[in-house]
């Protein structure tokens, strides 16, 4: 999943009382550059049962290979 996909999935994070932390392996050089990053890891893991207020952390990279079915 891309950065834009995450933002589309959580359009108003604060109103849902959920927090999404996005951690990059290297800092994007611009907003345009950010669009090329994909999720390579997340906590809690995909398909986990989460409650309201749970913090979701996604780790993003342009270079690490991912299996997109494992996320969200």
């Amino acid at each position: 999943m891309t950065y834009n996909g995450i933002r589309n999935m959580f359009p108003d994070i604060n109103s849902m009382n959920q927090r999404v932390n996005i951690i990059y392996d290297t800092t994007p050089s611009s907003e345009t550059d950010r669009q090329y990053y994909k999720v390579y890891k997340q906590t809690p893991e995909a398909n986990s049962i989460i409650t309201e207020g749970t913090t979701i952390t996604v780790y993003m990279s342009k270079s690490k290979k991912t299996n997109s079915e494992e996320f969200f």
Side-chain angles (χ1 to χ4, degrees):
M1 178 172 292
T2 64
Y3 174 80
N4 288 335
I6 293 168
R7 296 306 302 169
N8 289 336
M9 186 173 271
F10 300 101
D12 193 1
I13 294 166
N14 294 330
S15 71
M16 295 188 312
N17 290 326
Q18 288 185 332
R19 208 169 121 201
V20 177
N21 289 329
I22 300 175
I23 299 173
Y24 298 93
D25 63 344
T26 57
T27 304
S29 61
S30 66
E31 282 298 314
T32 302
D33 187 39
R34 186 183 314 268
Q35 296 174 29
Y36 297 104
Y37 283 71
K38 294 190 178 189
V39 175
Y40 69 90
K41 178 181 170 184
Q42 75 180 48
T43 58
E45 292 184 16
N47 301 316
S48 296
I49 296 173
I50 60 172
T51 58
E52 187 172 331
T54 298
T55 297
I56 299 167
T57 303
V58 293
Y59 300 84
M60 303 191 76
S61 174
K62 286 197 300 187
S63 60
K64 294 188 181 194
K65 298 201 184 241
T66 64
N67 178 350
S68 61
E69 294 177 6
E70 296 176 5
F71 304 102
F72 292 97

